[in-house]
């Protein structure tokens, strides 16, 4: 485990029980990481050198390192690429909204869910991220921008509920009063619909928002876009969201990527309204981001508005997701893909040269 994934209790146990040092030292180390957001032992100025050396021997910090970022000239959105200790690369996004700054983080390297409109899954799942690697994406951006982050969405690369234990640990640590203390109400976790895990999450007594990536109004269409629907059908997924609301009282978000000619018709709007009827929810419409590996296109603006209005007529709360950072590498996972293929080409070149 990396040091950044240690809870206060785990750190106390390590420092007191295993290294024979004082309990308050654990508090100091925890504060350096989770309040002051340092990335190395060297920066922990009030921790004795001997303890830092002992700690470093037993547990590495493994802080992700920012290798590049792009900033939108339109709205200031920034996309960051982080390199992990094992040279894996992940993407996080920083967005400025009127209500505060928001960060979208990755929960896995790659993804095995195979959604047809998603660039992050093209090479499958490489590995889960630790709780610390998720936290450090937020901390690293706060450090780099010098600005406070108030909202976190786990909606980047990966299926968070496929990395369940680390995800729950991450949420608890992110909202810890002795750490960075982001309110659970400002944390959103997005899933493609792992039904048993949604039920498990409902029992965790968390106050986070659950977002279901729905993207279709019926089983047939959902199955053609999202292989997970073969395992848990659309009604099972929506029912799990109903149960989540009943248990937690937290309004559900349904994410709906509009793909021209596939799920954006008047019948789709009618079917969708029926499907989610009676659920305390909010629908986010997202005109799909085209990716060159697939032939999906976004509907034009008029079609998006028409779809929205049809839902609203049925009493559903809807927003069209404002496209942030339109002038920087579009869809989630694409900056990483571009970087990886560039690194791949450079490797090829150096092999040819050598
Ligand atoms: S949309 Fe999310 S769950 Fe689906 S493949 Fe992409 S990263 Fe995975």
């Amino acid at each position: 485990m990396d040091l950044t994934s240690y809870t206060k209790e785990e750190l106390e146990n390590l420092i007191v029980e295993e290294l024979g040092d004082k309990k308050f030292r654990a508090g100091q180390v925890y504060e350096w990481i989770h309040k002051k957001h340092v990335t190395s032992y060297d920066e922990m100025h009030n921790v004795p050198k001997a303890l830092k050396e002992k700690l470093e021997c037993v547990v590495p910090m493994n802080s992700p390192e920012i290798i590049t970022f792009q900033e939108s000239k339109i709205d200031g959105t920034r996309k960051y690429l982080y390199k992990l200790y094992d040279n894996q690369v992940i993407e996080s996004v920083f967005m400025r909204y009127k209500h505060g700054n928001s960060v979208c983080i990755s929960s896995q390297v790659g993804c095995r869910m195979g959604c047809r409109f998603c660039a992050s899954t093209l090479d499958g799942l490489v590995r889960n991220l630790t709780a610390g690697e998720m936290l450090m994406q937020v901390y690293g951006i706060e450090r780099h921008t010098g600005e406070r982050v108030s909202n976190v969405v786990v909606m980047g690369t990966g299926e968070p509920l496929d990395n369940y234990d680390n995800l729950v640990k991450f949420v608890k640590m992110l909202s810890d009063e002795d750490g960075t203390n982001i309110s659970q109400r400002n944390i959103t976790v997005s899933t493609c619909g792992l039904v048993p895990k949604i039920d498990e999450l409902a029992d965790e007594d968390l106050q986070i928002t659950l977002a279901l990536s729905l993207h279709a109004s019926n089983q047939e269409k959902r199955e053609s876009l999202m292989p997970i629907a073969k395992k848990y059908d659309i009604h099972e997924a929506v029912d799990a969201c109903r149960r989540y609301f009943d248990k937690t009282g937290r309004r559900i978000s349904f994410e709906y990527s509009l793909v021209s000619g596939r799920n954006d018709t008047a019948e789709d709007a009618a079917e969708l309204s029926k499907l989610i009827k009676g659920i305390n929810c909010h629908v986010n419409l997202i005109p799909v981001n085209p990716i060159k590996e697939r032939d999906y296109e976004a509907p034009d603006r008029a079609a998006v508005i028409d779809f929205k209005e049809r839902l609203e007529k049925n009493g559903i709360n809807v927003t069209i997701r404002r496209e942030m950072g339109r002038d920087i590498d579009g869809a989630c996972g694409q900056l990483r893909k571009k970087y990886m293929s560039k690194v791949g080409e450079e490797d090829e070149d150096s092999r040819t040269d050598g």
Side-chain angles (χ1 to χ4, degrees):
M1 190 155 68
D2 39 13
L3 189 77
T4 53
S5 294
Y6 276 70
T7 62
K8 258 174 308 179
E9 295 69 33
E10 286 168 340
L11 208 48
E12 268 171 28
N13 192 46
L14 174 71
I15 288 176
V16 178
E17 303 297 325
E18 289 183 43
L19 303 179
D21 215 307
K22 309 239 168 38
K23 191 175 163 186
F24 79 94
R25 295 289 180 205
Q28 287 178 324
V29 172
Y30 192 84
E31 192 176 317
W32 278 112
I33 299 170
H34 300 284
K35 262 197 187 317
K36 299 180 183 156
H37 303 165
V38 301
T39 55
S40 69
Y41 282 107
D42 281 351
E43 295 166 272
M44 301 179 187
H45 299 307
N46 60 358
V47 179
K49 199 162 172 252
L51 175 60
K52 288 194 276 194
E53 281 170 359
K54 273 198 245 170
L55 275 168
E56 207 160 4
C57 279
V58 289
V59 49
M61 282 273 291
N62 284 351
S63 298
E65 175 200 340
I66 294 172
I67 44 174
T68 183
F69 76 99
Q70 293 181 326
E71 185 170 41
S72 163
K73 292 196 177 65
I74 302 172
D75 52 33
T77 294
R78 290 186 185 182
K79 288 207 164 185
Y80 286 90
L81 273 193
Y82 279 102
K83 184 149 93 184
L84 307 179
Y85 76 94
D86 56 357
N87 288 332
Q88 295 297 337
V89 173
I90 52 165
E91 206 179 288
S92 325
V93 186
F94 170 77
M95 291 155 286
R96 289 193 181 94
Y97 291 101
K98 280 198 203 88
H99 61 266
N101 294 326
S102 181
V103 166
C104 174
I105 65 150
S106 297
S107 56
Q108 295 178 312
V109 181
C111 181
R112 60 183 177 146
M113 296 296 140
C115 303
R116 305 273 311 153
F117 47 81
C118 176
S120 302
T121 193
L122 294 169
D123 299 321
L125 174 67
V126 179
R127 72 168 173 87
N128 285 330
L129 296 185
T130 64
E133 286 169 330
M134 289 188 253
L135 289 165
M136 296 301 270
Q137 292 173 63
V138 181
Y139 300 171
I141 288 176
E142 282 202 334
R143 214 170 130 123
H144 191 262
T145 57
E147 293 180 35
R148 169 82 178 157
V149 168
S150 53
N151 290 270
V152 173
V153 291
V154 191
M155 217 178 256
T157 297
E159 163 52 56
L161 301 189
D162 191 34
N163 182 14
Y164 187 84
D165 293 344
N166 288 329
L167 184 267
V168 171
K169 189 174 192 189
F170 159 77
V171 168
K172 289 180 178 167
M173 289 175 79
L174 189 69
S175 53
D176 180 5
E177 285 177 2
D178 293 334
T180 208
N181 194 13
I182 293 180
S183 161
Q184 288 187 3
R185 291 175 167 266
N186 293 350
I187 302 172
T188 298
V189 171
S190 170
T191 177
C192 66
L194 302 184
V195 169
K197 292 293 174 190
I198 294 176
D199 285 328
E200 219 177 309
L201 193 65
D203 287 333
E204 296 282 355
D205 200 20
L206 300 174
Q207 278 297 296
I208 57 175
T209 298
L210 179 72
L212 175 71
S213 299
L214 194 54
H215 305 316
S217 56
N218 64 38
Q219 174 62 10
E220 196 191 337
K221 286 192 181 179
R222 192 162 196 261
E223 241 182 70
S224 73
L225 289 169
M226 306 178 73
I228 190 68
K230 293 191 179 112
K231 196 157 184 198
Y232 307 109
D233 84 21
I234 193 164
H235 297 284
E236 287 179 82
V238 169
D239 285 347
C241 290
R242 271 182 222 279
R243 292 193 293 274
Y244 188 88
F245 174 77
D246 289 345
K247 273 241 167 87
T248 63
R250 301 288 297 152
R251 186 172 76 160
I252 301 293
S253 273
F254 290 113
E255 309 288 310
Y256 196 99
S257 286
L258 284 164
V259 185
S260 180
R262 300 216 179 209
N263 64 1
D264 65 339
T265 64
E267 297 79 68
D268 287 305
E271 254 182 336
L272 177 60
S273 306
K274 204 169 148 204
L275 179 72
I276 59 178
K277 197 171 176 223
I279 303 182
N280 189 339
C281 69
H282 184 92
V283 174
N284 269 318
L285 296 177
I286 313 146
V288 76
N289 254 309
I291 49 170
K292 72 175 191 305
E293 290 80 0
R294 311 259 203 245
D295 61 346
Y296 294 145
E297 279 180 21
D300 59 29
R301 187 77 191 159
V304 175
I305 296 204
D306 181 64
F307 198 88
K308 175 177 185 265
E309 287 175 352
R310 283 174 190 277
L311 296 183
E312 282 172 342
K313 269 188 204 133
N314 292 319
I316 295 168
N317 289 309
V318 194
T319 42
I320 299 171
R321 167 106 31 97
R322 190 150 61 94
E323 211 185 331
M324 301 293 277
R326 220 176 328 124
D327 54 331
I328 51 178
D329 280 287
C332 143
Q334 287 195 344
L335 177 61
R336 173 179 181 269
K337 240 184 135 13
K338 195 163 150 195
Y339 173 83
M340 297 305 275
S341 56
K342 194 163 152 243
V343 170
E345 275 165 27
E346 279 164 9
D347 283 355
E348 282 296 320
D349 288 349
S350 62
R351 248 175 272 148
T352 320
D353 291 342

